[in-house]
Amino acid sequence: MKKVVVTGLGTINSIGKTKEEFKENLKKMTIGIDYITQFDTTDHKVKIAAEVKDFDPTQYMDKKTAKRYDRFLQFAIAATKDALEDSKLDNGEWKENAAVIVASGIGGFKTLYSEFQKMQEKGPKSVSPFLIPMMISDMASGVVSIEFGLKGPNFNTVSACASSLHAIAMGSMLIRHGYVDVAIVGGAEATIDPMPIAAFANMRALSTRNDDPKGASRPFDKERDGFVMGEGAGVLVLESEEHAKKRNANIYGYIEGFGMTGDAYHISAPDEEGKGAAKAIKIALKDANISPEKIELANCHATSTPAGDVAETRALRSALGEHIKKIYIQGSKTLFGHGLGAAAAIEFVGMILQMKEGFIHGMPNLDNIDEELIDLNIPKKTVEYKAEYAIKNSFGFGGHNVSVIYRSI
């Protein structure tokens, strides 16, 4: 099988519109959570989110195109443009069979909600003919393919908050088995809107720490009370090692292994013991052909929910054994919220940047660590450390579990 390398990174999120800005704000532990400005929250329980402020889509596409694309599609194009520029791929023949798997868990909810309101107020004739292509979640891959002329396998992975890590795993699989030499993978999401905020709030999934936005997302802390909604996109350019070396590409590192499982437990709650997640981690380690002792960093799913954080650390204990006490553990959602289907890709980009630059961002809101996690190494402040091997976990409603092993060079 072919080896899979990462040659390009792109992201847009609440603490970075470029990978350089993102890297610096990760190191400084900048928190991009504040009061919602995209709609009136007067009647809402939750009034905070991690918005991408001052985003101008016309920096990445013409005005006419931007008008026809939902915000999540605009994010997808923006992150892909930066990732492709970072990879320094030219306009050559590679495009004829380049895979595109840019995931979204929810898709164009903003467009759906606004068009529904129009229909209620003005009748069915007022509904935009662009509603469907602006809304369906597979269109992130579709518009990336169209905008950049990428003609290989093109599809979407939809597995709630695990969507974009599934995309990374599937792109790696296509390259490994020789179907393609290049895969554009990641995720995009834009759901800071009245209905999703109300729905997640009513199921008690969101933090209601409205009086302290910066302190609301606090993975692993005793006082965590739910996640904070984020938005944005993360995109990676994957290539076969052979293809990348042939063109003298800059290689960040290798996708060494991945594991994917299902909990078969509950539609939204994790298995309390993290059995499915542990199995995914073990499969990823076996696939990478490494022992648990090789892992130095775990970038966790860590949503800041009472049940989720503990279940994940139980899964890590099961898979890594006593070695878990020797690794660094972090949850990046403390800085830029939970981007749902885009979360894992944004976090993966952040993890790669940290490993390349030799630091591990801290957890600024970790004031009182959960008693069950007291023996774990979860830094409150950024530390200098150049990890070689890391594991990225992502889990989604429906019991979806994905773990990916990454090796930096």
Side-chain angles (χ1 to χ4, degrees):
M1 291 191 297
K2 295 185 177 183
K3 293 183 178 181
V4 183
V5 300
V6 179
T7 60
L9 302 173
T11 186
I12 183 163
N13 57 73
S14 67
I15 65 168
K17 294 190 183 71
T18 67
K19 68 181 181 66
E20 289 301 321
E21 183 184 23
F22 186 39
K23 179 186 70 178
E24 291 305 313
N25 281 328
L26 285 171
K27 183 178 283 189
K28 292 187 293 186
M29 301 186 301
T30 301
I31 296 176
I33 298 168
D34 209 333
Y35 294 105
I36 293 171
T37 63
Q38 294 180 37
F39 64 92
D40 183 357
T41 63
T42 300
D43 297 328
H44 285 258
K45 298 177 187 177
V46 172
K47 304 177 186 299
I48 56 174
E51 296 179 317
V52 177
K53 300 285 181 66
D54 303 318
F55 173 63
D56 180 5
T58 62
Q59 292 182 356
Y60 306 94
M61 66 204 80
D62 62 61
K63 190 174 181 179
K64 183 178 180 181
T65 300
K67 189 175 181 180
R68 292 183 177 182
Y69 286 171
D70 184 271
R71 187 172 170 90
F72 92 104
L73 299 177
Q74 296 171 353
F75 286 156
I77 290 172
T80 302
K81 184 175 186 292
D82 287 349
L84 287 172
E85 288 179 357
D86 187 37
S87 75
K88 295 181 171 57
L89 278 161
D90 58 21
N91 289 315
E93 293 183 3
W94 66 272
K95 289 189 174 186
E96 292 297 315
N97 195 34
V100 182
I101 315 171
V102 181
S104 182
I106 294 181
F109 205 103
K110 281 183 171 293
T111 298
L112 177 62
Y113 184 72
S114 65
E115 291 301 314
F116 178 78
Q117 287 182 308
K118 280 170 57 177
M119 187 176 75
Q120 292 294 95
E121 294 170 3
K122 301 178 182 180
K125 289 184 179 180
S126 68
V127 175
S128 170
F130 298 106
L131 167 59
I132 300 303
M134 289 173 76
M135 178 197 74
I136 51 179
S137 62
D138 72 294
M139 202 53 66
S141 288
V143 299
V144 165
S145 168
I146 292 165
E147 292 296 320
F148 300 100
L150 310 175
K151 300 179 181 179
N154 182 304
F155 57 95
N156 181 26
T157 49
V158 182
S159 48
C161 304
S163 297
S164 56
L165 202 56
H166 267 128
I168 292 169
M170 294 304 296
S172 299
M173 194 179 295
L174 288 173
I175 291 172
R176 272 189 178 185
H177 292 279
Y179 292 106
V180 300
D181 282 317
V182 179
I184 312 304
V185 299
E189 206 83 89
T191 52
I192 301 176
D193 216 51
M195 189 72 78
I197 293 294
F200 278 110
N202 288 347
M203 70 182 297
R204 299 181 181 178
L206 296 180
S207 172
T208 56
R209 197 182 286 257
N210 295 313
D211 59 338
D212 181 21
K214 303 297 183 190
S217 184
R218 43 199 318 111
F220 312 125
D221 189 83
K222 283 182 183 178
E223 303 302 319
R224 65 190 184 277
D225 69 331
F227 74 84
V228 175
M229 188 75 80
E231 64 177 355
V235 172
L236 296 81
V237 177
L238 306 183
E239 296 184 55
S240 67
E241 181 185 45
E242 179 185 11
H243 187 270
K245 287 188 172 181
K246 188 175 181 179
R247 68 181 190 86
N248 296 315
N250 171 60
I251 295 175
Y252 284 97
Y254 291 76
I255 306 293
E256 293 284 13
F258 44 83
M260 299 175 279
T261 65
D263 278 347
Y265 178 76
H266 190 271
I267 58 170
S268 58
D271 181 322
E272 291 181 2
E273 298 303 316
K275 293 175 184 177
K279 184 179 177 183
I281 295 168
K282 291 173 183 177
I283 292 170
L285 289 166
K286 183 177 181 181
D287 188 45
N289 194 28
I290 62 170
S291 68
E293 288 70 30
K294 283 282 189 181
I295 301 298
E296 299 162 272
L297 168 66
N299 185 277
C300 295
H301 186 59
T303 58
S304 188
T305 56
D309 292 4
V310 170
E312 181 172 10
T313 52
R314 287 174 180 171
L316 284 165
R317 287 185 193 278
S318 174
L320 303 182
E322 285 297 304
H323 181 64
I324 189 177
K325 298 176 184 179
K326 299 179 181 180
I327 71 173
Y328 284 102
I329 292 175
Q330 67 177 181
S332 297
K333 292 178 180 70
T334 192
L335 303 180
F336 47 84
H338 188 358
L340 305 183
I346 297 171
E347 292 158 14
F348 209 111
V349 170
M351 185 180 79
I352 291 173
L353 292 172
Q354 291 176 78
M355 293 171 75
K356 179 178 173 57
E357 294 298 317
F359 73 93
I360 293 171
H361 79 69
M363 306 289 292
N365 293 328
L366 190 62
D367 298 325
N368 295 288
I369 191 167
D370 189 298
E371 290 178 0
E372 188 168 332
L373 317 180
I374 201 74
D375 60 334
L376 302 183
N377 185 12
I378 310 174
K380 183 174 172 63
K381 296 183 178 180
T382 296
V383 297
E384 291 185 6
Y385 185 84
K386 194 170 178 63
E388 181 183 8
Y389 280 92
I391 187 163
K392 173 70 195 126
N393 294 327
S394 189
F395 315 120
F397 284 179
H400 313 296
N401 307 303
V402 191
S403 294
V404 175
I405 307 289
Y406 173 77
R407 175 169 65 89
S408 183
I409 58 172

